[in-house]
Amino acid sequence: MFPFAFEWANDPVHFVFMGSLYAVLVVLFIFMNYCGIRATLDWLCKKDEPHHH
Amino acid sequence: MKEEHQKGHGKTYKYGMVVDLDKCTGCGACMVACMAENNISFRKDDTNKLVSNFWMRVYKISNGLPFPDADISYIPRPCMHCEGHGHHHATPCVSVCPACATDYDHETGIVSQVYTRCFGCRYCMAACPYHARVFNWWDPRWPEGMEKYLSPDVSPRMRGVVEKCSFCFHRLQRARNKAYAEKRREIGEDEYQTACTEACPGGAITFGDLDNPEHKVCKLKDAPGTFRLLEKLGTNPKVYYTTTRDWVQKAADVYVGNEGNGVTPA
Amino acid sequence: MDSALIPEGVKRCPLKWFAVWIGILNVPLMVGVVGALLCWGLALNQTNMNNNYPFALWIAADLGVIALGAGAFFTGFLRYIVKIDELNNIVNFTVVIGVICYAAALGILAIDIGQPLRGWFIFWHANVHSMLTEVAFCISCYFMVLCIEYVPLILENRQIDKFRFPHAFSHRLHEMMPAIAAVGVFLSFFHQGSLGGVPGVLYGRPFAYREGFLVWPWTFFLFILSAIACGPCFTILITKITEKFARKQLVKRNVIDILARISGWLLAGYLVLKILDTVYWVSSTAANVGAPAGSFYANEPFGVWVLITEVGILGVIPAIILLTKRARENQPLLMLACLLNCTGIFMNRWIMTVQSLAVPVMPFDKFFSYHPNWVEWATTLMPLWAGAIVISLSYRYLPIFPQEKELNPL
């Protein structure tokens, strides 16, 4: 549900509940992109990362 | 939240029912009228009542005594249109629906069901202690030609969704339209009556605005011997039952002993 | 033939046998697929569910697999946040089990809902007051988290790892794992809890309804605790079964012992609270609404034996075994304890959903029994076969068990 949906109400429940969902999705999105970008940089710069094992 | 929506929309109503169990003969006319009015689908073999569709269902109870004291009573059970605990969003089924497919209308007190919104999780059925909600286990089909007799005011339900009594909401809409066309704001008590109320040959069902002192239900609901099903649970139903028979009142609900109003545990 | 794909320094069965094994697993899986297609094609009349049992085997199984899958987030929590380093040797495997459990839950739901094509309404038209919405949000998000945790494992396959980008990506994901585990913990606590809230908020059903704290009924907290009590046991159980099939030890005893001990303490704590909850519910919550405890257990097969079995045989006994050092170190006894514990939690989920609906609420209402039919069983068991396939593939081609080489030198 987006804030422009007609069921939306500006009450604490909606803010907390939908806010948490979007926060988690944003965190996951940023996380994946961060890892992707860093990995791309590693790859392009041909920097040898120490293996993590 | 809902109350805010209501602002500026004028008067609110609280439609409800009082069923006189002493007048009910168990004829089933209310069930038939309801099925015809609301396009409720049925199957050729509908003997398994656990999977068949009923919005109005008549239960039978007996006092279990031998002749000549044997007595039976019938309990017609539509959707109770529960108001729920004090604050909004607390009708048992409305608060649990994950997709807002069922709603408590604060203007009319009617619990609606949006068939095209329902995705069939059946959580509302789990929440309802009255079995007022039924699921469409099959695709709706009518015998050849019978679809011409369907009511154009009520949409038939597709399979996989939950449906229930709407207090014939389409009749309210029709009455409102008529009143609007006639430049009236209010609709009369007799202009909006449910199909089951009209069909009952014994006149056992009375329907109207529970808050309007001019409506019969308003007085009837406060008469002695009037009760609601499972009142203890706090579902706060808008369907009342009335009887002069003590055993019926005791057999139809649960009591814990501190009720007052003359009701004592069996 | 596929030796180039198999991790270095470990031994796997010939591809031929492996193919036969996967083929065998596909047979019951396909029966489940047929069941699912019947439900989608011909509607839910293909099951034994009815208007008295709108929640049945599927929902119970759904709540059950999610509880069992709690091993994934809880081990992640212990490994990355509490920092019990030994658990590094099993955390990969818990992720695989978690992915299977959560995929199973989502899959079962997709069959269970009457209009599967409208499933997205739960997000689009979300009712923020519904426990089921909370469940759907958290499960979907946590499934994403699990997939993100599973990706680096796949990228570690010997051939994929040779490429620079997947190698770097996997490395970066590994680096960030504590953060992602923290998100997983947050989500898991809420959805394990809200699954408990699903029956707990049903104030129309005295058997299920519980009072609680703020918007959360007591079952919210009981479900969290019981899930983290049985999750590690399920991990042990599946690890041991995998070891049986692999015919070698894959995880050191001390790692298993840590999980067993933690599980034991949590189970004991859960049982104390569960008993307190039961006493309060019977004597106060239910009694106040005119629902005497006797009425809950009046209809066989839902008799008092259900409560005794759930709390006693499937609760107290495994807790004692898991908390006794000598019993815990006896492998068959440990297996028994894990099995009892997992069965107990599964039974609890069944009771909270199916028995809640089985108990008539209106005094003139009649009791009807319910038993799942083959369609429900076949679809419910699908995760078992699909899970075995995923575990087999993961074990064969991915370095899931860090201790395998050390324990089984070639």
Side-chain angles (χ1 to χ4, degrees), chain B residues 11-18 106-109 167 172 186-190 192-193 206-222 238 240:
Chain B
K11 236 182 111 179
T12 60
Y13 306 84
K14 210 160 111 181
Y15 288 107
M17 224 174 233
V18 178
H106 287 267
E107 193 184 338
T108 58
F167 268 173
L172 174 61
E186 291 293 318
I187 54 167
E189 184 180 9
D190 55 342
Y192 170 38
Q193 290 292 318
T206 315
F207 182 81
D209 182 2
L210 296 168
D211 281 348
N212 187 340
E214 284 166 25
H215 284 203
K216 288 194 282 292
V217 281
C218 187
K219 275 185 254 354
L220 285 174
K221 77 174 188 340
D222 296 326
K238 282 201 287 295
Y240 291 75

Side-chain angles (χ1 to χ4, degrees), chain B residues 20-27 58-76 242-249 251-252, chain C residues 364 366:
Chain B
D20 189 338
L21 297 179
D22 296 343
K23 287 184 186 167
C24 177
T25 61
C27 70
V58 178
Y59 287 83
K60 178 183 173 183
I61 58 170
S62 149
N63 64 352
L65 295 176
F67 178 82
D69 302 313
D71 193 10
I72 53 167
S73 179
Y74 294 93
I75 305 178
T242 180
T243 178
T244 53
R245 291 172 291 175
D246 221 22
W247 76 266
V248 174
Q249 196 171 345
Chain C
F364 51 86
K366 286 191 186 69

Side-chain angles (χ1 to χ4, degrees), chain B residues 50 52 61 90 92 96-99 115-123 125-126 128-129 131 135 137-138 158-159 256, chain C residues 40-41 43-45 49-51 54-55 112 114-115 118 121 125 127 129-130 133 198 201 203-205 287 290 363-365:
Chain B
L50 288 173
S52 50
I61 58 170
V96 300
C97 176
Y115 311 119
T116 45
R117 173 70 71 80
C118 172
F119 63 85
C121 73
R122 304 184 294 283
Y123 193 13
M125 296 172 72
C128 176
H131 297 301
F135 185 71
W137 302 98
W138 277 268
M158 60 296 284
R159 80 175 190 205
V256 294
Chain C
W40 283 327
L44 292 177
N45 56 60
M49 291 192 287
N50 57 49
N51 290 331
F55 283 180
D112 180 71
Q115 288 278 345
R118 297 181 189 169
F121 284 9
H125 302 294
N127 172 11
H129 300 270
S130 172
T133 311
V198 166
V201 297
Y203 71 91
R205 300 278 185 175
F364 51 86
D365 207 1

